[in-house]
Amino acid sequence: MKAWMLDPVAQILSLAERAMPEPGPQQVLVKVKAASLNRGEFLVGMGIGGAGSASKPSGMEAAGEVVAIGEQVAQHASCPIAIGDRIMGRAPGGFAEYALLDAQDILAIPSSMDWIDAACVPIAYLVAYDMVVAGGELQKGQSCLITGASSGVGVASMQIAQVIGARVIGTSSSQHKLDRLTSLGLDEALLSRGPDFVQAVLELSGHKGVELAINNVGGSVFEACLQALAYQGRLALVGFVDGVKQTSIDLDRVHAQRLKIFGVSNKFRRADQRAQTVSGFAKDMLPHFHSGKLKPVIEQIFDFEDLPKAQSAMQSNSHLGKLVLKVAC
């Protein structure tokens, strides 16, 4: 099969012939129809995170048709799985003609959803759900601040918060992107290139602050996000686009305001913990995809052979929402 390989340091992609993967006892093999790009795929080349020198299979999520099933999948998947089913999920090495999905990460694709939209769900929307619902406990009538709101996770977080009935304040360094986000339903748009949004957020919230802040940017806006929180507010950490992973923290404010700070990495989570998030998302959010209330925002679709062009588009930071690779759909 054909698969894209990535040199994690030089960030050079190469198309290679690889052996067809075989599913383990708790894995499913899919014929990949579409896969989407995620910024985390390329962070090592920006000096963030660690990596070895060897090239690795590229891609983090995919949507596809089931072609083989491990013997223990039925005991671990959150939905019934059969040959020919349409599924989506986290898929290491998903930029390939075939890919493996772990049973606990599998989501059934709603009948109303096409392959391209499905490929955008497993990372961005599950991470957004983890921040907004599971960890952020956002409620109807509350307010949410999203820094770097034009990213795939930022747009997904905005949509989920609005489905809940919350008010969303979003920041971006691009007025053009803010205008597009406003047309997509963003309640309040703030043009900001750094941590200069606090006063505006406080004014928009009646000087109360927001119940949830989502930091898509990194350490350069960490303290500002804390200052924008309401009493018992929550701060979710998801991205380090600025490359800043060390920052100061006002411990007295965290203590006095009873603030909650949490991350959403799956790096050290057990399989059963990931499965809990997936099953919660399936119950709470998949019906909204089926009805059309939730729909991925897609900037551009690339052919399978054009992944390097898609990589360049992501690194240019000019897109809003998701970039998708069309594999066999």
Side-chain angles (χ1 to χ4, degrees):
M1 71 168 189
K2 290 183 173 63
W4 282 99
M5 305 294 290
L6 175 71
D7 180 322
V9 177
Q11 293 295 289
I12 296 174
L13 288 159
S14 58
L15 189 58
E17 284 288 342
R18 290 176 58 83
M20 179 84 71
E22 295 185 5
Q26 298 177 25
Q27 292 182 313
V28 167
L29 178 67
V30 298
K31 180 177 177 60
V32 178
K33 299 294 186 176
S36 72
L37 281 71
N38 292 276
R39 195 173 297 277
E41 184 80 12
F42 307 108
L43 286 180
V44 173
M46 298 167 62
I48 303 172
S53 58
S55 292
K56 64 182 183 69
S58 183
M60 298 173 68
E61 63 183 333
E65 181 180 321
V66 176
V67 295
I69 303 172
E71 62 267 23
Q72 297 176 19
V73 166
Q75 298 99 290
H76 296 276
S78 62
C79 58
I81 304 294
I83 300 296
D85 280 355
R86 301 167 71 246
I87 63 171
M88 55 188 173
R90 294 177 182 272
F95 296 148
E97 292 178 314
Y98 292 86
L100 294 172
L101 280 68
D102 290 339
Q104 70 272 1
D105 292 327
I106 292 171
L107 288 161
I109 299 175
S111 59
S112 60
M113 182 180 288
D114 63 25
W115 293 115
I116 298 297
D117 281 355
C120 300
V121 172
I123 299 286
Y125 282 90
L126 261 81
V127 168
Y129 176 80
D130 208 353
M131 292 189 295
V132 175
V133 179
E137 301 174 336
L138 193 64
Q139 304 294 317
K140 181 178 180 180
Q142 293 185 340
S143 295
C144 175
L145 166 67
I146 303 174
T147 63
S150 64
S151 69
V153 170
V155 174
S157 298
M158 177 188 78
Q159 291 179 330
I160 289 177
Q162 290 177 326
V163 162
I164 289 171
R167 181 189 185 202
V168 181
I169 304 168
T171 76
S172 173
S173 61
S174 165
Q175 186 61 55
H176 174 66
K177 290 181 179 180
L178 287 174
D179 291 343
R180 290 183 62 191
L181 286 167
T182 299
S183 71
L184 293 169
L186 179 64
D187 297 295
E188 304 289 349
L190 299 178
L191 183 65
S192 173
R193 296 183 181 277
D196 56 350
F197 51 79
V198 176
Q199 189 59 37
V201 171
L202 292 177
E203 290 176 0
L204 288 169
S205 63
H207 296 279
K208 183 181 79 167
V210 296
E211 283 78 13
L212 174 65
I214 294 174
N215 184 351
N216 274 306
V217 175
S220 63
V221 301
F222 176 84
E223 181 61 29
C225 287
L226 279 184
Q227 293 175 18
L229 288 177
Y231 177 70
Q232 293 187 326
R234 289 81 67 192
L235 171 57
L237 306 176
V238 66
F240 303 99
V241 176
D242 59 6
V244 180
K245 300 178 74 174
Q246 302 292 329
T247 184
S248 63
I249 181 171
D250 184 347
L251 292 177
D252 184 60
R253 179 177 180 81
V254 174
H255 175 60
Q257 294 288 100
R258 299 182 68 92
L259 304 180
K260 175 182 176 182
I261 303 168
F262 65 99
V264 289
S265 171
N266 278 305
K267 185 174 182 179
F268 299 114
R269 293 186 94 193
R270 300 188 310 270
D272 64 304
Q273 292 173 322
R274 298 208 317 269
Q276 185 176 10
T277 300
V278 171
S279 61
F281 178 87
K283 178 176 69 72
D284 296 338
M285 295 294 138
L286 283 189
H288 294 301
F289 284 100
H290 185 71
S291 69
K293 288 183 178 179
L294 285 177
K295 182 175 175 58
V297 175
I298 297 169
E299 178 73 26
Q300 193 170 353
I301 301 169
F302 296 84
D303 290 334
F304 182 64
E305 294 78 12
D306 291 334
L307 179 59
K309 293 181 181 179
Q311 178 194 33
S312 296
M314 171 155 280
Q315 292 171 334
S316 74
N317 200 34
S318 60
H319 65 289
L320 186 148
K322 297 289 285 183
L323 302 171
V324 184
L325 194 68
K326 181 172 62 175
V327 181
C329 60

